[in-house]
């Protein structure tokens, strides 16, 4: 009987030994560590155990002996979600701030160039043109206004704006040089029609239109690319974590506290699998994100050389003065041919300035403005380096977050937290992107349901990349690309994105069969 009683006692002792933490003690472990941690994060200690309890109630953490109640598990789950979303947003804000800084530097510089160009024109023209300039300042100021509006993204055809400038300038100069005549609107319309064949300004309008258009298209598209990429980062970084992801992050982050091993940081590969699953949709941005960066680097090359923004912006006054000089030098011939084509004019004008007076004033001369090539070179160099650095942002985000704040850095650590205990993590690391997560051991993911917000941002990247590629080739393409793309993939367009329209776009993107 004595032997049987001893056996019973031994069995009972074995059954009551807690499987908690890493200790071999048969005594219930104290919960003082997690009580301090829990209270330090702003939670009430009401209901928090003094020592471990049985964990059958746990829904996320391992159900061994634990210091966590269901309420604690929910609180720590919400905390882990808030913290991880904060880490993702902080990383996004850092990149967005960098892109916004590059945008502001370029934007300030380009507008400064345009302002300097206009100031040079305003200071150089009045002494020579006199009345012809002061009576027609609006023609010149309107040109710079239109150039600024175009650069700012207004729906303006820059070639038409330049054509309008030359047409108005021709009319004003013709009237000023022939002030002794009565010249009506119909006659001026006839004069404008002759300009294509008579070319009063020589080759300057055609040459300037080509260079100005290419430069402004490139400049506008480039700064828009910086803005759009920053907006994509902002919107994607705010995409909430899925419930399945929150469970996985809680298990990785705070279940070790519940389990009694708070000092064991998550295993590196374990963290990688959790975040590759949670950020799978983010990683699907990778291809179009790299395409955008490559296209922006190509366009950045347009800012250097003979067609750089420095040269083109600051040469506008000189090129316009060359055109005016060409017309004044050949005004007799031009007048003769216009009179032949449009008919003779009757005298009776009110202007005191006639053809001979214009000739006496001489040529408009504009000194070359010193360019700040070194400043532009540094801007291009800085933004090019940043664009190259950011190319792998979305696929490297999981490893960045893990190494910076979450996991141990030792890949072979056998004393790290693997989600169940302090031990080595054995599963292999998943690939990048949604399709690669089908067998992710840590996060349950339906790979057939991509995130709608992120798919919409993928489309925005495609559209912006298309704009940049057109800009590199000197073609002006506005944001009607969105409508063009929807028609191309067979999606109907309304004034705003509707669920059906967005689903249509997403299906076309998933097929990977549609390219610009």
């Amino acid at each position: 009987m004595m032997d049987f009683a001893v056996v019973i006692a031994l069995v009972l002792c074995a059954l009551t030994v807690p499987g908690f933490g890493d200790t071999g003690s048969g005594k219930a472990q104290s919960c003082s560590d997690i009580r301090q941690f829990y209270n330090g994060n702003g939670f009430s200690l009401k209901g928090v155990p003094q020592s471990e309890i049985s964990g059958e109630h746990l829904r996320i953490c391992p159900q061994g002996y634990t210091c966590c109640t269901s309420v604690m598990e929910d609180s720590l789950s919400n905390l882990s979600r808030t913290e991880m979303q904060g880490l993702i947003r902080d990383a996004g804000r850092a990149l967005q701030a960098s892109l916004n800084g590059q945008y502001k530097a370029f934007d300030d510089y380009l507008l400064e160039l345009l302002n300097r160009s206009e100031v040079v024109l305003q200071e150089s023209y009045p002494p020579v043109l006199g009345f012809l300039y002061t009576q027609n300042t609006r023609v010149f100021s309107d040109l710079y206004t239109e150039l600024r509006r175009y650069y700012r993204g207004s729906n303006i055809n820059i070639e038409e704006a330049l054509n309008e400038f030359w047409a108005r300038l021709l009319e004003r100069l013709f009237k000023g040089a022939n002030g002794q005549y009565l010249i009506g609107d119909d006659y001026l319309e006839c004069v404008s029609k002759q300009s294509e064949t008579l070319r009063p300004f020589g080759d300057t309008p055609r040459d300037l239109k080509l260079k100005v258009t290419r430069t402004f298209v490139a400049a506008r598209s480039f700064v828009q690319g910086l803005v759009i990429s920053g907006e994509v980062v902002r919107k994607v970084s705010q995409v909430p974590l899925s419930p399945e992801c929150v469970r996985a992050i809680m298990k990785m982050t705070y279940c070790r506290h519940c389990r009694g091993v708070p000092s064991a940081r998550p295993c590196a590969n374990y963290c990688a699998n959790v975040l590759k699953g949670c950020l799978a949709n983010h990683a699907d941005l990778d291809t179009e994100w790299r395409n955008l960066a490559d296209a922006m680097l190509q366009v950045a090359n347009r800012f250097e050389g003979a067609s750089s923004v420095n040269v083109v912006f600051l040469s506008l006054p000189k090129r316009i003065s060359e055109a005016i000089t060409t017309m004044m030098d050949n005004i007799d011939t031009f007048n003769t041919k216009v009179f032949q084509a449009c008919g003779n004019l009757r005298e009776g004008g009110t202007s005191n300035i006639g053809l001979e007076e214009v000739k006496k004033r001489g040529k408009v001369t504009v000194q070359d403005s010193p360019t700040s090539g070194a400043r532009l070179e540094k801007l291009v160099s800085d933004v090019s380096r940043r664009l190259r650095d950011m190319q792998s942002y979305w696929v490297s985000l999981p490893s960045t977050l893990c190494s910076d704040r979450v996991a141990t850095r030792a890949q072979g650590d056998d004393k790290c937290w693997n989600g169940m205990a302090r031990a080595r993590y054995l599963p292999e690391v998943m690939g990048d992107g949604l399709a690669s997560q089908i067998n992710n051991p840590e996060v349950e993911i339906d790979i057939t349901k991509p995130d709608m917000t992120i798919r919409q941002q993928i489309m925005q990247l495609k559209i912006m990349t298309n704009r940049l590629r057109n800009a590199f080739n000197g073609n002006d393409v506005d944001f009607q690309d969105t409508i063009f793309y929807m028609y191309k993939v067979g999606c109907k367009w309304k004034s705003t994105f509707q669920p059906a329209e967005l689903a249509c776009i997403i299906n076309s993107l998933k097929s990977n069969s549609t390219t610009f």
Side-chain angles (χ1 to χ4, degrees):
M1 287 293 293
M2 180 64 67
D3 290 341
F4 179 75
V6 170
V7 170
I8 291 296
L10 290 172
V11 170
L12 290 174
C13 287
L15 290 175
T16 57
V17 172
F20 179 75
D22 291 327
T23 69
S25 171
K27 194 163 127 180
Q29 299 299 304
S30 168
C31 292
S32 59
D33 286 343
I34 194 169
R35 284 173 62 86
Q36 183 178 356
F37 168 80
Y38 193 70
N39 188 239
N41 279 281
F43 300 115
S44 170
L45 290 177
K46 182 179 180 180
V48 177
Q50 295 286 347
S51 59
E52 82 243 16
I53 57 177
S54 180
E56 292 87 351
H57 57 278
L58 298 177
R59 298 186 301 276
I60 301 175
C61 297
Q63 293 186 334
Y65 279 89
T66 183
C67 279
C68 289
T69 63
S70 296
V71 172
M72 292 173 67
E73 191 179 42
D74 289 341
S75 297
L76 291 174
S77 180
N78 290 332
L79 177 62
S80 66
R81 179 188 63 223
T82 300
E83 289 179 338
M84 182 55 68
Q85 289 184 162
L87 290 176
I88 294 169
R89 288 176 182 172
D90 286 346
R93 286 191 192 102
L95 178 56
Q96 190 182 357
S98 176
L99 290 167
N100 287 345
Q102 299 293 341
Y103 160 76
K104 189 175 187 311
F106 261 95
D107 185 61
D108 289 348
Y109 179 69
L110 295 175
L111 289 175
E112 179 186 318
L113 284 179
L114 205 51
N115 291 339
R116 282 170 56 193
S117 176
E118 185 172 19
V119 168
V120 168
L121 184 146
Q122 291 169 346
E123 292 177 347
S124 303
Y125 282 23
V128 178
L129 286 182
F131 179 81
L132 281 180
Y133 178 79
T134 57
Q135 292 299 307
N136 300 302
T137 54
R138 186 69 178 270
V139 176
F140 299 100
S141 63
D142 282 352
L143 171 64
Y144 280 89
T145 298
E146 290 297 278
L147 291 176
R148 288 189 187 89
R149 289 184 61 211
Y150 173 82
Y151 169 71
R152 283 301 192 196
S154 295
N155 189 21
I156 294 171
N157 186 307
I158 193 168
E159 292 190 5
E160 290 181 2
L162 289 168
N163 289 338
E164 176 67 15
F165 165 72
W166 290 115
R168 290 177 65 193
L169 184 60
L170 173 61
E171 291 179 2
R172 299 303 179 89
L173 291 178
F174 182 79
K175 287 181 71 174
N178 296 281
Q180 69 275 29
Y181 297 114
L182 291 171
I183 305 174
D185 291 340
D186 291 342
Y187 198 91
L188 288 176
E189 184 177 347
C190 180
V191 173
S192 296
K193 290 179 180 178
Q194 308 311 308
S195 63
E196 290 186 17
T197 55
L198 300 181
R199 295 169 59 200
F201 298 117
D203 293 330
T204 299
R206 187 179 303 172
D207 179 57
L208 200 59
K209 181 164 65 175
L210 177 63
K211 289 182 178 178
V212 167
T213 298
R214 291 179 71 91
T215 302
F216 271 82
V217 168
R220 181 170 87 157
S221 298
F222 186 78
V223 295
Q224 285 176 345
L226 290 172
V227 172
I228 292 297
S229 56
E231 279 297 290
V232 168
V233 173
R234 183 183 68 82
K235 291 178 181 178
V236 173
S237 298
Q238 291 178 347
V239 171
L241 299 173
S242 68
E244 294 77 15
C245 176
V246 172
R247 290 175 60 86
I249 289 175
M250 164 59 189
K251 185 177 179 182
M252 176 182 72
T253 308
Y254 290 129
C255 284
R256 58 197 172 99
H257 289 268
C258 295
R259 194 66 173 165
V261 286
S263 62
R265 295 185 69 186
C267 303
N269 287 352
Y270 173 39
C271 181
N273 273 342
V274 170
L275 292 189
K276 278 178 180 284
C278 288
L279 302 176
N281 281 283
H282 298 61
D284 281 346
L285 286 157
D286 182 62
T287 298
E288 293 307 325
W289 184 254
R290 289 177 183 272
N291 288 342
L292 177 67
D294 287 340
M296 291 184 68
L297 286 168
Q298 282 187 316
V299 172
N301 292 330
R302 290 282 187 212
F303 296 149
E304 300 175 329
S307 298
S308 74
V309 289
N310 272 336
V311 174
V312 173
F313 281 33
L314 296 179
S315 68
L316 278 172
K318 183 178 180 181
R319 299 307 307 277
I320 294 172
S321 75
E322 290 172 352
I324 293 173
T325 298
T326 298
M327 180 173 176
M328 293 298 101
D329 285 346
N330 300 283
I331 191 65
D332 290 313
T333 303
F334 182 73
N335 274 354
T336 299
K337 293 182 177 180
V338 166
F339 295 159
Q340 290 175 351
C342 302
N344 292 322
L345 290 167
R346 291 188 303 108
E347 292 190 2
T350 58
S351 173
N352 294 323
I353 296 181
L355 179 57
E356 294 304 320
E357 182 65 22
V358 171
K359 288 182 179 180
K360 287 178 185 178
R361 286 185 176 274
K363 299 179 180 179
V364 178
T365 57
V366 179
Q367 297 296 323
D368 283 318
S369 297
T371 61
S372 43
R375 182 178 169 192
L376 176 62
E377 185 177 338
K378 186 178 186 306
L379 283 172
V380 173
S381 175
D382 288 348
V383 76
S384 296
R385 182 174 61 254
R386 192 68 191 96
L387 289 171
R388 292 188 184 95
D389 290 344
M390 79 177 196
Q391 283 184 309
S392 62
Y393 176 79
W394 296 110
V395 292
S396 64
L397 186 56
S399 61
T400 299
L401 295 176
C402 284
S403 62
D404 285 353
R405 299 289 298 274
V406 180
T408 178
R409 296 186 179 185
Q411 296 290 346
D413 189 357
D414 59 359
K415 292 185 178 180
C416 53
W417 173 250
N418 66 8
M420 297 298 294
R422 180 154 60 183
R424 186 183 298 271
Y425 183 75
L426 299 178
E428 64 177 339
V429 177
M430 298 292 100
D432 300 313
L434 191 61
S436 300
Q437 307 309 311
I438 188 169
N439 293 317
N440 191 312
E442 308 304 334
V443 188
E444 295 181 12
I445 299 176
D446 185 350
I447 65 171
T448 66
K449 294 181 179 179
D451 183 87
M452 300 285 274
T453 298
I454 293 178
R455 296 299 143 167
Q456 187 178 14
Q457 296 312 303
I458 290 174
M459 188 191 74
Q460 292 293 339
L461 292 175
K462 279 181 175 284
I463 292 170
M464 193 64 241
T465 299
N466 184 49
R467 281 184 56 79
L468 287 160
R469 287 173 177 166
N470 276 282
F472 179 75
N473 294 320
N475 300 320
D476 188 13
V477 183
D478 61 29
F479 279 113
Q480 294 300 314
D481 289 344
T482 305
I483 303 175
F484 161 76
Y485 178 72
M486 295 186 69
Y487 276 116
K488 181 174 180 181
V489 299
C491 303
K492 294 181 179 179
W493 167 259
K494 296 180 182 178
S495 59
T496 58
F497 283 114
Q498 300 297 326
E501 299 166 5
L502 192 52
C504 177
I505 300 169
I506 290 171
N507 289 333
S508 73
L509 293 171
K510 284 169 60 180
S511 71
N512 293 321
S513 61
T514 304
T515 57
F516 282 104

